[in-house]
Each structure stands twice: as structure tokens, then as C-alpha cells.
Amino acid sequence: MSIQLPTYPQPDERGRFGRFGGRYVPETLIPALDELQAAYTEARNDPAFLNELERLLKDFVGRPSGLYLAQRLTEHAGGAKIYLKREDQNYTGAHKINNCLAQALLAKRMGKQRVIAETGAGQHGVASATAAALLGLECIVYMGAEDIRRQALNVFRMKLLGAEVREVTSGTSTLKDATNEAIRDWVTNVRDTFYILGSVVGPHPYPAMVRDFQSIIGEEVKVQHQALEGRPVPDAIVACVGGGSNAIGIFAPFAYLPEHERPLLIGTEAAGEGVESGKHAASVAGGRIGVLHGAMMYLLNDDEGQIVPPHSISAGLDYPGIGPEHCLYSETGVAQYVPVTDAQALDALQLLTRLEGIIPALETAHAIHAAVNLARTMRPDQTVVVNLSGRGDKDVAEVMRLLDLGREQDAAPTPRTPEVLA
Amino acid sequence: MTATLIPTTPGAARLHAAFARAKQEGRAAFIPFMTAGYPTAQAFPAVADALLGQADILEVGIPYSDPLGDGPTIQRASEQALAGGTSTRHTIALVKELRSRHDTPIVIMTYVNPIYAVGPREFMRLAQEAGVDGLILPDLPPDQDLEIADLAAEHGMAVTFLIAPTSTPARVKLVAEACTGFLYAVSVTGVTGTREGSALNEVPAMLALARQYARVPVAVGFGVKDAETAAQVAQVADGVVVGSAFINAVKAGQDVGALAASIREGCTQH
Ligand SMILES: Cc1ncc(COP(=O)(O)O)c(C=O)c1O
């Protein structure tokens, strides 16, 4: 029996999650989006496609990823049991590969030989380049100049995998601008190019399709939590939110449960130097409704409609918007979105590393911080599942630079002890 | 342009009249584009004056931080204008100032986010007060948001949506029927910007399709850069839009008025 892709009550047939989402793109792309939607609808009902996807997720990616009880982190927090959903165990190191393989399979099925992708942290770029190499597709990845600096290791991996990395120097030279450039490429080459979008953002059907491909994360949690705890639904789930794909992947299978059965769903937004500082990427806490990259969502933009450059210590969260389904969850109270600062994330990264021997991605570290704080307020018979969206290999050089900077300023002889451990 | 043309608003009537005048003179309407506040807020009015001296309709772009449908030329112009302090409300003020000196119809090109940020109703009120005749909305397929078009009409303005070579007949019909000012046909699959050689091969077929449904004049833009490419387009279209070529000319310190005069000449229909 092959896997099934879940169906959810949102979005509506126009691609709206409530008032969010939609298709605000140049007319050139509308027929391509219709074509994509038709191809996806057909593929998701075709056992041949689903069998191939299942085979790759199992044998190539290594799914299912573990649901691991973090014993020492749990003791440290002193409350609910903290489980880690180990997306860092996936081949290529993050949840991004789930979606990339599925979209690349779809590209191949649609007869498109050229794929393009945008990337911030480089994880989506690496996953796209990997899927392209596996399936024999030409791959071009757009990446901001600033992110190319921060993520040199991933840039090299993409090139090694045979992808062309195109440096983007417009705007803020980060993820938002790489996304603009990828969309412009798609507008130009739409007839023979498939755009592998990396998160639950962009025009319909991307937010719905990427969610469906990522919801394997939450579906596995149900089965694993049942085996470990005797019930399928944890008490709380925490995940970091850039565009929001790892968070939707673990939230969606629970988000449409009746309210009294639903776990507490917490998304962590990158608060950078603090929401008040203006240097952050917290679109719910510090943004307002607007349109970017083809969808209506919470967005960092000024009162003239110009996008406000976001800031985060982690390239993968450095995005001025948040996926439309998250906007609906936030507006209706299905999930809550909390800001976590750069400093808190850096501390949480060290905390998890020292207590559990797991170096998380800087993105993921935002979720770890909130999960520890939350678990502390809960009972020992309760559970918190953190989506461990990716591993920190890509970030070690940047973290080393940041901790060294801190050391110079503090004139301290050794790396400082994380605040939460002190 | 067809005999059944019914202007729905004062703005639409003024745009239709401009197309009709050009036609009487044996030309396709010449529609130059310039980014507001480019090269600087101070220098922009003189550039706009030079274009208005030749234009049948002037298209003024609100500089935007994330212009999805634009190539590098207009994108860089937007960045420069934004850095100089020109944004949404300032663009409308610049148009108001041009209006006090010129009778030529003026339309505003804008992505939708600035409209939502100012508030659709407030945006339309300001634009109407400034004498804007119409709006061109490159990232708003007409079936996305019916409120914008309704509000524009309520405020006396026309709206223009776009079709592309990839548009299916059903899409062309939907877009054409939603346009009240003119229909804007994008000549290529791609973003704005001049191109090597002339890549206008897809235009005739697209226009033939558009004319089956359009009750308004049909203009063509993207990639038109000189009198020669304008002449090609003018054989099949009611109007010719030229943007990046003028930004390049401003950047190079060339005589914008002279370039505009030569392209206007190229718009002659045979
Ligand atoms: C490890 C990791 N986690 C999270 C993210 C954020 O993306 P999303 O919010 O779509 O999961 C990224 C993005 O690059 C990432 O690499």
C-alpha cells in the first residue's frame, strides 16, 4: 500500500485561507499555476507517483525520522516531557528534502527538464540540487549575496551537486530577493521550467501543495506518539517559522481537529534584536496584512507598502512574510506565534548541543528556546513535541564567528555559558 | 478599437479619446513609462515634461521595493527613487503637480501592496484628487480582487489588466472584459526590459485573440525600445508602451524628448 497525501478543508477553491493567500502574480504565470494545480491533483491520486515518492522518502531520505525523548533537556526544563521530531536525521539535513523530492518528481512527470529554486539558509537549495541530481534535471538556485556569505558550506554543496548558484544583489540580498529573482526567472522561462518553491508561501497552489508534502512530519508524530505515550496527540507542538513549511508540516495534521482535541500549537518567529528594535523577521508580531510573492499574508511593510527588510541570525527565517495558512491559524487562534530573539536562539543552540549532543540549525534553535520555556509551565505527564527542523552543520562557521565576537566584547577566556544553563 | 466602446468613467473616456485622437493622426497611441522620483524627485518633473510633450498617455510607476514583473532596469530605477524618498503618496503628489501643467491623460502603474498599505479607498481618493485617469496593475489578475476595480470606477478612474503570450483564450476573455481603460498585452513571456533583436513574434497572434473579446483599445508593451520596434507593434496594436528604454536614456544622460519624438514617429500606422 502506498502513502496517501492528506486532504484538508483549507484553502478554498480560489486558493484562499480565509482572506489570506491567493494569486497576486503577473498574468503570464496564471496558466502555469493552473497547469501545476491540475498536474498535482492528478499526481496525488496516482499510485505510481505515490509509490515512487514513498520509496524515495524511505530509502533515499531515511524516513520515518525518529521521535526522540530528550531526557536531559526534559530534566533541565523540569516540566513536560520534551520529544524531538528528528527532521535533522533526513538525508541533506533538514525537512526541506521531503518537499523537494515530491516537487522534482512532479516536474519530471510534467516533462520539465529545468528546475529553479530560491534559498535562504541553503537547505532548500541543497535539497533541490540533490533531487535534481537524482532525477537528472538541470537546476538553478537563486541565493542572496548576504546568504552566500553566511552559508558558504551549502553553496559549495549545491555546486558539487551540479547546480548553478546565481547570486542576487538586489534589495536586501537575502531570501526575499532570491525569491523575487526566482519568480522573474519563472515568468521568463515558464514554458519549460518548473519552480520548486521552498516553503508554504507563494501563489496558490504552492502553500497547499508544500503543506501536503510536508505533513508527513505530523502524520508520523501521530503514530510514534501513540506507540510511546499510548495516545496519538501530544499536548503541545513547537516549530520555528520562516515561511512556515516545517511548522505547517507538523501542525496541519492536528490543526483541523476539534478544539478540545487539538494540541497547543506554537510557532516561533525570528525576533532578531527584539521586535521593538525594528531589526527582526517577526511578521505576526511586527507586521500587518499585505501582499508578497503572490500571496496575501502578514508582512513587514511600511505604511506606503514598501517591504521592510527583515533581520534574523538565521538565514532561513530571514523572510518578511509568513505563509497564508499560518496567518489564518493566528487569526482564528488555532496556533500562537511567539517571537524569539537571536540571542535566545544562540543560547538554545548551545543548550541542546551540551545536553543532548545534537547541534540544531539556528532556525530550529528558536523553537528549542520556546519549547523549554513552555515545558517548564506544564506537568510531567504532559508532552511537548519540538520539530527539530534541521541540523546545525551549515551554521557552525557562522556560530563560531558569533561566539568569538561575543568573547572579544566580553573579554572572556572561554565561550560564555548559555544564559539558560547558568 | 470597436464601435461598441462605452466609457464607464471619466478616466476611461479620457483614455479612449486619446487613443481616438492618435488614430485620427494615423498613429498608434504612444504611451511612455517613467518611474516616479527617477532619477531624483527634483529631476523627475523635467523628465516627465519631456515625455508629456510627445505622449498620448503618460504612465507613471510607483517605485516599489519588490517589483516582480520588472527586469533589472526598472527595478534599479525603483531602488534609486525609493532611496531618494519617493514612494506611494509622493508619487500621487508628483502626478498632481504634472496635472496642473498638462492635459495629457496620466495613468499610474502600481503593484497591489502599496494600494493595500495606504488602504484601497484612501488610495483611490488621493489618486482621483490628483487627476489620475487610470491604474495599471501588473500583479493583479482581475479575478483576484474585484474590490480594487470597483473602487477605481467609483472614483472615476479606469483600470487596465494584462494578458501575456501564455494566456489561454478563456483568460484573455476574462481579462479583456475586466479592462475599462485599455487592455495591456505583454509582448513576451518575461519581465520588463529591452532585449537584443526584436522578439515580438508572438504579438500578432495574441492581438488577434485579444480583439475577439476586448471592448477597449489594446496596447502592447515590454521590449519596445526604439522607433523600429514601435513601428512593428503599431501595425497591429492601438497603443505602444515604452518604459525601460527611457530609463536607460535618463541614466545615460540622453535627450529623452528627442527619443520620445522619434518613437512617437515610429508609431505611425501604415
Ligand atoms: C533547518 C531549517 N529550519 C527551518 C527553516 C525555515 O523554513 P520553514 O519555515 O519553511 O520551515 C529553514 C529554511 O531554510 C531551515 O533550513
Side-chain angles (χ1 to χ4, degrees), chain A residues 168-173 176-177 180-181 184 306, chain B residues 35-39 62-67 70-87 247:
Chain A
V168 176
T169 55
S170 55
T172 55
S173 300
K176 143 184 112 69
D177 307 287
N180 287 337
E181 218 52 67
R184 286 190 194 106
Q306 307 298 337
Chain B
T35 300
Y38 186 78
I62 295 182
Y64 183 52
S65 56
D66 293 73
D70 284 303
T73 302
I74 293 179
Q75 192 188 5
R76 299 289 178 202
S78 280
E79 284 178 3
Q80 190 172 325
L82 285 168
T86 295
S87 178
I247 288 170

Side-chain angles (χ1 to χ4, degrees), chain A residues 93-96 119-124 154 175 198-200 210 214 240-248 315-317 326 361-364 388-391 394-395:
Chain A
H95 65 292
K96 300 282 181 187
T119 197
Q123 287 305 94
H124 176 61
N154 271 344
L175 179 56
S199 194
V200 284
V210 176
Q214 289 292 6
C240 68
V241 180
S245 67
N246 87 87
I248 278 291
L317 302 187
H326 286 294
L362 276 169
E363 291 81 1
T364 313
L388 207 103
S389 60
R391 56 177 174 245
K394 70 181 171 63
D395 293 322

Side-chain angles (χ1 to χ4, degrees), chain B residues 83-101:
Chain B
T86 295
S87 178
T88 312
R89 288 181 172 85
H90 189 216
T91 297
I92 298 175
L94 287 170
V95 169
K96 188 172 181 172
E97 188 211 315
L98 294 176
R99 240 305 141 261
S100 67
R101 284 182 272 129

Side-chain angles (χ1 to χ4, degrees), chain B residues 4-23:
Chain B
T4 52
L5 192 63
I6 306 162
T8 49
T9 58
R14 286 170 50 80
L15 293 173
H16 297 168
F19 279 96
R21 257 193 319 273
K23 196 178 185 72

Side-chain angles (χ1 to χ4, degrees), chain A residues 82 238-240 266-269 338-340 344-345 348 364-378 384 386:
Chain A
I82 301 175
V238 184
C240 68
I266 305 281
T268 58
E269 298 195 291
V338 300
V340 174
Q344 289 168 332
T364 313
H366 290 72
I368 300 291
H369 171 85
V372 169
N373 282 350
L374 175 65
R376 192 166 276 156
T377 67
M378 294 166 64
V384 176
V386 191

Side-chain angles (χ1 to χ4, degrees), chain A residues 301-344:
Chain A
N301 67 138
D302 67 19
D303 62 7
E304 301 257 298
Q306 307 298 337
I307 308 307
V308 175
H311 161 83
S312 170
I313 192 174
S314 75
L317 302 187
D318 205 353
Y319 185 74
I322 168 171
E325 189 164 3
H326 286 294
C327 298
L328 181 65
Y329 289 179
S330 175
E331 195 174 61
T332 54
V334 166
Q336 291 168 40
Y337 297 85
V338 300
V340 174
T341 65
D342 287 350
Q344 289 168 332

